Each structure stands twice: as C-alpha cells, then as structure tokens.
Amino acid sequence: MELPLITVLALHLAILAHAKPPKASLCQISLKAATCRGQNLLRVPRDLPGTLESLDLSYNKIQQVTRGDFSALTQLKSLNLDFNNIMSIADDSFASNVLLEQLKLFNNSLREIPSQALKPLRNLKVLEMSNNFYPRSALDGVFGTLKNLETLSMGGSAVHMVGSQDFLPLKDTPLKKFALKTAASLQEYQQGAFSKLNTTDLWCDMSLDGHTEVLPLLLRDLRGRPLRYLHFRNLFEFTYYTGSTDLFHDLAGVEATELVFRRGKFNENLLRLILLNVRRSRVQDLSFIAIDFARSPKWKAPEVGMANLTLRRLVLADISNPDVLRFDWTFMWFAGVTYLSIINVNFNMVPCDAWKEMRNVVALNVSNNRLQDGYVYNEACQYQGTLPKLEQLDLSYNLLVHLSTLAKLTFSWSRLAKLDLTHNHIGGSGLSPCTWTPSLVWLALPYNAVTTEIFQCLPTTLRFLDLSYSQLERLDMGYFEVAVDLQELLLSGNKIKFIPTEWRCPNLRVLELDGNSFGVINKGSFVNMPRLAQLKAGNNPYHCICDLYSFVQETLRNGKLRLLDWPAGWTCYHPEFLLDTAVAAYVPRVTECDVTVVVAIAVSITAAVLIACMVLCWRFDVPWYLKATFLIVRSKYRAGRSQLSRQFAYHAFISYSCSDAEWVRRELLQRLEASRPPYRVCIHERDFTPGRWIIDNIIDNIENSRKVIFVLSRSFVDSDWCNYELYFAHQRAVGLSFEDVVLVVKEAIDLQALPNKFCRLRKMLSTKTYLEWPSDHNRQAFFWVQLTSVLGKAEPVNSDPSNDLTDVNGAVDSPLEMGPIAEENCIGCS
C-alpha cells in the first residue's frame, strides 16, 4: 500500500526538522596535512579528505581505533595518536594504510602490543608505543616482517620483567634507535635480552634501585653490538647507591662512544665508579643532565683524584648542586676534557685550581650560572699559562657587569678567538683599561645594557661583533676607524637614532640595524663601506622621503647590496599620511626627487611666461604704456623739484586732433572764453611754452587744469599725441576720480573698433556719461548748458606768470594764431 504524497512530504519535513546541522570541522586541514591536536575528540573525524599524508590526533580523548577510522586515508604516511586514552586497536585498523611510515602511540592505555594491527605496515619506519599498560615487552613475529623499521620505543610502567627472547624478532632489523621503559623498579632482567638488539642508539628508562644486579647483565649483553649511543634515565630513582660492587665493570666491552645519564640520584661513589670505567672504555662523550647529586656522609675521598680521564666532550647541565664539579674535592677530572660544558649548575665562582686543571679544554661553556665579576676573576689567581688551548669561551646568562674584568681574565689566553657574553649585565668598560689577547676575533654582547663607553673597551681585532638588543643609543665612530678587520656587525633592537655619514668600516660585509630608532637613510649612509654585501635594516620609523626612495631603488638596481629583510620589515612612520605604508609601496612623484626634472620644468615655465609676456606686451602695447609712465614720473619729479604745491591755472584743458582744430577754435573755444565770466582754457596751439618738451607741456598743463575736455572723433583715435593726453589725464584721475574728465563726442565712434591701446577710452565710454555734439542747430544750445554745468562756475584762477599763462617775455595771451609749436603739435596729432 502506497503512502499518500502528502504523508511522504510530512515525514521528510519531520526528519529534516530533527536533523542536527553539521558541525564545523575542528581540524586545520590542508591538501595533504591535517592537525586535530587538543580538540577533546572522542573518535576519529569522518570528514577528513582522502588525500591526507599527515594526520595529528594527539592530545584528545580517543579510546579505541576501529577499521573504518582510517580506511579512507589510503595516502597516509604519518599518524600521531600520542596522549589519548586508546585502550584497543582493531586488527584491521590500518589495513588500508599500507603507505604508513610513522605511527605514534605514546602515552595511551594499551593493554597489549597491537601486533596484528601493525602487520600490513611493511613501510613503517618509526613506531613509538611506550608509556602504555601492557605488562610484557615480548614482541611476536610480526615485528620480524617490519624490515624498514628504524626507530622503536616501547614499554611502560607495567613492565616488571624483560625476557631473554623478548626482542628476538628484531635480531635482523638494523635499528637506529631502540627505547625501553620499565616499571619504577625492574624486578627481573633475563640475560641475553639486549643481545638480540641490532641498534646504534639505546635508551633505557629503567630504575634499578632494588635490583642493581641487572646493570652488569645488561652491559654484558651489549658487548659486541654495534652500539654508538647509550642513554640511562632514572637509573637510581629513589635511593643513592652506596654499595661497593662495581656496577659498570662491563662498560669496557661496550662499543658506545657516547654515554648519557639523565635524572636519577647520584653521589660521589656512583659518579666515581662511572668515571673509572669510562676511563677504560670507548666513551668519548659523557653527559650528566638533571641529575640529583648529593654527597654521602660516610664516603671518604681517595688520596688521588680522577686522573688520566680523557674525554672529547663532558656535559654537566641542569644540576642544582654545584658540588658535583669537585665531587672528589678536586677538579682533576676536567684535565683531559676537550669540550667542557657546565650549564645551569648554579655555581657563582671559579676557584684558582679549577683554571689550572682545564689545560686541555678547547671550548668552555659555563652559561646560565651565577658568575660575577669578583668571583670569575680573582686578583690572587695566576692566570698566566692556564687554558693554553682555549679557543671558545661561553659566559652567557650570568651576572657579569664590567667588560674590563673579562679583558684581564682572558688577556693571557693566547688562542682565545671566540667570547660569548650574551644576557649579562654589562653596561660599560669599567674603571680599568682594556687590553685583550690579540687572538680574539669574535665577541657577542647582545641583551646587555651597554653605553657608548663600551667602545673604549672593545677589542680592535674583532671580525664579528654582536651588540644587538643592548639599549645602545649611538655609535663611536673612532672605534670603527681602528677596527679595520671587522666583517660582521649586529646592532639589531637598539635605540640608535641616526646613521652617521662619516661611518667608515672598509671590510664590513654584514650589517644588521633592524629594530632601531633612526628614520633617515640615504645613498651616502654606507658609502664608506665598500665591501658591504648584506644589510638588515627593517622595523625602523622611516621617513618616506626622496633620500630613502633613492637609496632603495639604487640598492635594488645594482644588486651589490642585499637587503635581508626586504620588503616585509620596511614600513613608513613619517609623514603622517603614509603611516604604516610599506616602503616598497612608496613611489614619490618625479618632481619631488629628480632635481634635473625640476630645473627643466622651472626653465620651461619661465621661458613660457617670458614668451607669453612678450606676446601680451606686443598685443596690448605695453611698451608704449611703460614709456608714457616713465615720462609722467619724470615730469612729476621735475615738477616736484620746481614747485612743492600749485593751484589750477586753467578752468579746462582741451585735447583734440588737428583735424578737429577748426571746430574747437570756432565753436568750443569761442563759446567758453566769451562767457561771462569767461573760462580760462588751455589749448596746445596757443598755450604750450616754446622750447619745452612736448610731453612736459602736456603733463604740466593737464596738471594745471581743473578739467580735461576730450574732443572725440575718428581722427582723435588715430592720434598718438591724443592717446598720450588721454593716458596722462587718466593717471591724474587715479588720485582724484574720473570727475575731472569731460568727454565730448564730436563724431560717433565704434567702441569695438578702437585699438587696444585705447582700452581706457573704451572703459570710459562704457561706464561714464559723455556729451554728444548735436548736428541739429536747435539742440546745440542745450549742449552748451550741459558743458558749462559740467565745467562748473568760471571762478577766478591763479594767473601767476610762473604757471605758464604768459610767454617767456611776459606777454599776455596772443590771438589764435598757429605758431611753430602749434604746427609741430598738429603734425604729431595728424
């Protein structure tokens, strides 16, 4: 029976309503790798892509691994399941992962070794399955098939017994590393167990507190094996060994050249037993790391110290009790060491006899201790002849203050080449002068608090100098002039505010200046460093200006100097609108930086302006106006010298063209001089002074006239002299107003046809009311009324002969006759 369609749709809707939305993946997934670390996962995610080659599922809460968990990941090569709670792994869990090369199951809850699950993994190289709960360390035949296996770590706190056949399947597998962890107190070790191993590195995390007889058996099994590295962890976890049995007697038969003891309890008895057997073994590198050393109250020191111990490397690190350095009350066990490291051993002084015993030390590392100036260098000690082979000295992470103290300490060490003083409290040179061994070429002083005075104490023989992160504010150029061999200089993370232009360092090849406070750098900053090949100068507050741009562009173009942190570390700080802009993105305009372009543009603009001015001058007759202005100024100057103040001598000055002279004499002059009282009128034909410059006559008479009448006609426009008179009248009107200029239009004039030099006339006619001479005789009477109204009442004027109202002989006005001057003027106006 079929369900109705509505019922089917309802069921689908109900299913969708109750379905949970898919959760976003908690893993960081790329094409070939995924990290799901620490996500509290209870099972392996199902949405992982099949292209994965690496998968990290560590630090989760997965409890079991089933077949379907990794079946889709056929390309998987690395799988990390560390720090989960895995209790079981299905036999076919890795059936699809035949390419797997690395499998990590460290720190889980496995109750048995998952041999069957490992069977398909023929390409497996690394298998880490220690820190689990399986009680036996026995391996089955599956491990014999893992021929590519290189690293195997196994065991855990539940392994109390190691059987003689436990590792038989590994007999023919050449391992690079085998690590075994057992219970806190191993109860049984069957002889022959380790003889089956074929490994170069052996790590034994086993405690022998209650069963010390295990150690001789173990060492005996390692005879003849291809062992190079032997590591013991927590050999005595709870008790100090006080027995008389030589537990390390069989160490002489072991081929290992490096022996490491990590953690565990040590006293002088155990330490001496180890050193005695190391002395006759193949061991060259010996390390004691994080051991708990304590002196035994009943132990008696031997009469002879630990002599004839020859080691390539001795490491004492992370030991809280500095007594370990002279466990037998001597430092004789340092005498045959080449590379000696005493790191974080909490000691603050070096006795005089210690320096003498280190006669074969080539490299000495005493970093991360509590050494101070007065304890590392003792005036009572004799340092001459000590450490004759020392080449490297590491005093980093101590409490040293004065560089001069180190100079005195190392002065007699003729082969010392490298000195590391990182992370101390060095601030200055101290009071004493600094004399260094000439062999010193490498000095590191980062993370101190140095001042400029430090340069007075620095060795001048250096090739490498590190002063980074030391609060240095400025440089001493005098030091670099004498340190001619310096090739590498590190000054990162300081407070240097500027780069001196006189900085000379002829052989410098590497310079690091990143993280300082300077903002200006240009092409001349490193010009005196001809061999500079690498520069690191990012993370500075750069002023993005032309100098910086030019430096960067030239540096990138030449390729001789390589910017190590370009472009990521280079950003702009100034100007404000470029804040946080990448220097690589700063591209100024060409006119900002190229002086040649600026000069070319300036010259071009100047030339264009000059040409434009010349064209305008030609177009608007500017030379004519300049000439006229000069004449006015000259005339005013002359007039000012002859008379400081004057009154008007004429009621009006009439300017007209010679073509209009007849009309002026017959109509205009006759009517004005015949009025009662008469107007005193100046015309050039009669009133100009003979012998004077025409321009002077024009200017003086216009200046001595209350009004200036211009008779306008087409002939007036064509007259240069009339234009002069119009110009002078306009100049006079600038200080007075245009009210003293009277325009009489005798003939109609087209304003647009006027020449450019009559621009003032055009403006007057456009803005000022003018009088127009009517041709109709009946209207002429009104014209005269208008004219006399404009001229005003004919009041008496000054008639002093000095105002040019008489001629040179003192004669009064003559009749209207054309004299020589008048003729000359008419010729000019025509």
Side-chain angles (χ1 to χ4, degrees):
M1 179 178 181
E2 296 184 358
L3 293 174
L5 179 59
I6 296 178
T7 304
V8 173
L9 291 174
L11 289 172
H12 278 289
L13 291 174
I15 294 172
L16 291 175
H18 288 83
K20 294 182 179 180
K23 293 183 178 180
S25 176
L26 298 176
C27 305
Q28 298 178 6
I29 303 174
S30 63
L31 182 62
K32 294 185 178 182
T35 300
C36 309
R37 181 186 180 94
Q39 299 298 325
N40 292 323
L41 299 175
L42 299 177
R43 57 175 298 175
V44 178
R46 299 294 185 181
D47 58 347
L48 299 174
T51 58
L52 289 182
E53 295 183 3
S54 176
L55 176 59
D56 187 353
L57 289 167
S58 60
Y59 294 90
N60 283 291
K61 298 179 180 180
I62 301 172
Q63 295 185 0
Q64 61 180 356
V65 178
T66 63
R67 178 180 183 181
D69 289 343
F70 306 109
S71 59
L73 307 180
T74 57
Q75 304 300 313
L76 199 61
K77 294 183 179 180
S78 176
L79 177 59
N80 189 347
L81 292 168
D82 291 347
F83 293 94
N84 277 278
N85 192 26
I86 299 173
M87 293 182 287
S88 65
I89 299 177
D91 291 346
D92 53 358
S93 296
F94 306 121
S96 302
N97 312 117
V98 295
L99 299 179
L100 198 63
E101 297 178 356
Q102 187 178 81
L103 177 60
K104 295 184 177 182
L105 294 165
F106 178 79
N107 210 86
N108 279 280
S109 302
L110 293 174
R111 303 292 177 176
E112 61 180 11
I113 297 175
S115 300
Q116 294 305 311
L118 303 175
K119 192 172 183 179
L121 307 180
R122 301 299 177 88
N123 291 308
L124 198 63
K125 295 181 179 180
V126 177
L127 176 59
E128 297 180 1
M129 56 177 186
S130 62
N131 272 39
N132 279 280
F133 295 146
Y134 45 86
R136 294 291 303 273
S137 58
L139 303 176
D140 61 14
V142 172
F143 284 86
T145 65
L146 304 178
K147 299 299 183 182
N148 292 312
L149 195 62
E150 297 177 353
T151 299
L152 174 61
S153 66
M154 58 178 296
S157 58
V159 177
H160 292 275
M161 193 257 308
V162 178
S164 60
Q165 305 299 316
D166 285 355
F167 311 123
L168 182 61
L170 300 175
K171 184 177 182 180
D172 298 323
T173 303
L175 297 175
K176 292 182 179 179
K177 176 182 177 180
F178 178 80
L180 176 64
K181 177 178 175 60
T182 65
S185 181
L186 183 63
Q187 296 178 1
E188 182 181 358
Y189 173 87
Q190 295 181 0
Q191 189 171 0
F194 279 3
S195 64
K196 311 298 190 298
L197 294 175
N198 186 14
T199 182
T200 56
D201 291 6
L202 177 60
W203 294 58
C204 298
D205 187 353
M206 55 178 61
S207 174
L208 306 180
D209 291 272
H211 300 274
T212 57
E213 71 280 358
V214 170
L215 186 57
L217 297 176
L218 186 150
L219 293 175
R220 201 170 297 132
D221 284 344
L222 294 177
R223 290 179 179 177
R225 308 313 300 168
L227 197 62
R228 294 292 177 267
Y229 177 90
L230 180 57
H231 188 123
F232 289 103
R233 183 179 185 273
N234 277 330
L235 194 60
F236 289 91
E237 187 173 4
F238 304 107
T239 61
Y240 293 96
Y241 180 69
T242 58
S244 58
T245 304
D246 188 355
L247 302 181
F248 293 92
H249 180 269
D250 293 297
L251 183 62
V254 179
E255 296 184 2
T257 57
E258 185 172 358
L259 178 60
V260 177
F261 293 92
R262 184 182 297 272
R263 301 179 67 86
K265 295 186 177 298
F266 281 73
N267 55 17
E268 58 271 72
N269 181 45
L270 182 60
L271 191 56
R272 181 175 176 81
L273 287 176
I274 293 173
L275 296 178
L276 287 173
N277 287 282
V278 165
R279 187 171 59 180
R280 58 190 188 87
S281 70
R282 294 180 175 85
V283 173
Q284 292 296 312
D285 300 333
L286 178 61
S287 300
F288 296 93
I289 302 173
I291 64 172
D292 180 8
F293 178 81
R295 291 189 180 276
S296 175
K298 298 181 179 180
W299 189 77
K300 293 182 180 181
E303 296 181 0
V304 181
M306 184 57 60
N308 302 321
L309 176 64
T310 302
L311 291 173
R312 180 178 57 188
R313 190 180 308 276
L314 174 60
V315 177
L316 300 169
D318 302 324
I319 303 173
S320 60
N321 189 351
D323 285 347
V324 70
L325 299 178
R326 49 176 183 176
F327 72 96
D328 61 353
W329 303 105
T330 70
F331 295 97
M332 292 181 63
W333 64 311
F334 295 155
V337 179
T338 303
Y339 300 97
L340 177 59
S341 297
I342 305 173
I343 304 170
N344 191 26
V345 182
N346 204 31
F347 78 104
N348 60 2
M349 65 173 296
V350 183
C352 297
D353 57 332
W355 296 112
K356 298 177 181 179
E357 295 295 348
M358 294 185 287
R359 51 185 172 273
N360 287 304
V361 174
V362 173
L364 176 60
N365 184 349
V366 287
S367 61
N368 204 9
N369 286 288
R370 297 188 296 116
L371 294 174
Q372 301 179 23
D373 291 22
Y375 298 106
V376 73
Y377 176 76
N378 189 341
E379 297 283 354
C381 295
Q382 176 57 254
Y383 295 97
Q384 188 71 33
T386 62
L387 296 169
K389 299 181 179 180
L390 187 66
E391 298 177 0
Q392 301 178 17
L393 176 59
D394 189 346
L395 288 165
S396 60
Y397 292 89
N398 278 285
L399 305 176
L400 303 173
V401 176
H402 296 119
L403 194 60
S404 58
T405 302
L406 282 307
K408 290 186 290 185
L409 174 67
T410 61
F411 171 69
S412 62
W413 299 344
S414 60
R415 298 184 61 178
L416 182 64
K418 183 176 180 180
L419 177 60
D420 190 347
L421 297 171
T422 305
H423 274 286
N424 276 277
H425 298 163
I426 295 175
S429 60
L431 301 177
S432 303
C434 299
T435 305
W436 295 87
T437 175
S439 59
L440 188 62
V441 296
W442 194 101
L443 177 61
L445 281 165
Y447 296 98
N448 282 281
V450 302
T451 62
T452 310
E453 296 178 358
I454 198 71
F455 288 98
Q456 300 175 9
C457 189
L458 291 177
T460 58
T461 56
L462 295 179
R463 297 177 186 173
F464 173 94
L465 175 60
D466 186 356
L467 286 169
S468 55
Y469 302 98
S470 293
Q471 304 180 39
L472 185 64
E473 295 186 358
R474 59 189 180 90
L475 305 174
D476 184 353
M477 295 297 101
Y479 171 77
F480 297 101
E481 292 180 1
V482 295
V484 295
D485 295 327
L486 192 62
Q487 298 180 8
E488 189 169 353
L489 177 61
L490 310 185
L491 295 169
S492 304
N494 283 294
K495 301 177 181 179
I496 300 173
K497 296 179 176 60
F498 66 95
I499 304 299
T501 54
E502 68 275 12
W503 194 356
R504 300 180 183 275
C505 208
N507 291 304
L508 194 66
R509 300 178 183 273
V510 179
L511 177 60
E512 295 187 4
L513 290 165
D514 56 302
N516 276 278
S517 301
F518 61 87
V520 178
I521 191 172
N522 53 49
K523 293 188 290 186
S525 298
F526 311 108
V527 69
N528 295 317
M529 302 177 186
R531 297 190 178 183
L532 190 62
Q534 298 180 18
L535 174 64
K536 188 176 182 181
N539 194 24
N540 279 289
Y542 280 117
H543 295 246
C544 284
I545 56 178
C546 294
D547 287 343
L548 177 63
Y549 177 77
S550 300
F551 167 78
V552 171
Q553 294 303 311
E554 181 173 327
T555 300
L556 296 177
R557 182 172 58 254
N558 292 342
K560 179 182 177 182
L561 177 60
R562 184 164 67 94
L563 303 178
L564 299 177
D565 53 352
W566 174 266
W570 296 60
T571 55
C572 298
Y573 190 79
H574 293 290
E576 185 176 355
F577 68 90
L578 290 175
L579 182 63
D580 294 331
T581 301
V583 174
Y586 167 64
V587 181
R589 295 187 298 272
V590 177
T591 53
E592 292 183 39
C593 299
D594 196 332
V595 178
T596 305
V597 174
V598 174
V599 172
I601 293 176
V603 170
S604 301
I605 293 175
T606 303
V609 170
L610 290 175
I611 294 173
C613 290
M614 294 173 64
V615 172
L616 291 174
C617 289
W618 172 80
R619 181 72 175 82
F620 296 104
D621 294 317
V622 173
W624 184 89
Y625 288 109
L626 293 175
K627 179 181 178 182
T629 302
F630 168 74
L631 293 174
I632 289 175
V633 172
R634 188 183 68 176
S635 176
K636 287 182 177 291
Y637 173 73
R638 291 175 178 175
R641 295 183 61 186
S642 61
Q643 184 175 357
L644 295 177
S645 64
R646 66 173 61 170
Q647 297 180 350
F648 293 114
Y650 298 101
H651 288 103
F653 176 88
I654 302 176
S655 175
Y656 57 92
S657 172
C658 288
S659 300
D660 301 320
E662 182 64 24
W663 181 84
V664 170
R665 290 193 296 269
R666 186 183 69 249
E667 296 289 344
L668 186 59
L669 190 62
Q670 183 68 30
R671 180 61 64 96
L672 293 177
E673 291 185 340
S675 64
R676 290 290 180 270
Y679 287 95
R680 190 168 180 80
V681 181
C682 176
I683 60 175
H684 65 271
E685 299 175 359
R686 181 188 66 192
D687 300 309
F688 277 13
T689 303
R692 295 188 67 191
W693 291 90
I694 296 175
I695 293 297
D696 290 344
N697 272 313
I698 291 173
I699 293 174
D700 287 345
N701 284 287
I702 287 177
E703 290 290 334
N704 288 321
S705 300
R706 180 177 297 146
K707 301 285 184 178
V708 180
I709 300 174
F710 288 98
V711 179
L712 304 180
S713 64
R714 287 182 291 274
S715 299
F716 183 94
V717 172
D718 296 332
S719 172
D720 288 334
W721 289 112
C722 292
N723 188 28
Y724 274 127
E725 293 169 351
L726 178 65
Y727 177 73
F728 297 145
H730 178 267
Q731 293 298 320
R732 175 185 181 224
V734 170
L736 300 176
S737 73
F738 281 148
E739 294 180 358
D740 61 345
V741 176
V742 180
L743 301 179
V744 176
V745 179
K746 179 175 175 290
E747 297 177 355
I749 299 174
D750 184 5
L751 298 182
Q752 302 301 323
L754 289 176
N756 291 331
K757 63 185 179 180
F758 281 95
C759 59
R760 291 180 179 82
L761 178 61
R762 186 186 297 113
K763 181 177 180 180
M764 289 181 184
L765 292 173
S766 300
T767 59
K768 185 176 178 66
T769 303
Y770 54 85
L771 300 178
E772 188 173 0
W773 172 253
S775 58
D776 187 359
H777 182 74
N778 295 327
R779 299 174 59 188
Q780 293 177 358
F782 181 71
F783 169 82
W784 297 117
V785 173
Q786 288 181 304
L787 180 60
T788 56
S789 175
V790 171
L791 293 177
K793 186 177 180 181
E795 297 177 351
V797 294
N798 182 16
S799 58
D800 193 325
S802 63
N803 286 328
D804 299 324
L805 299 182
T806 60
D807 60 14
V808 294
N809 295 320
V812 297
D813 295 345
S814 61
L816 296 177
E817 297 179 356
M818 294 288 290
I821 297 178
E823 292 177 359
E824 180 184 357
N825 201 9
C826 282
I827 293 173
C829 294
S830 60

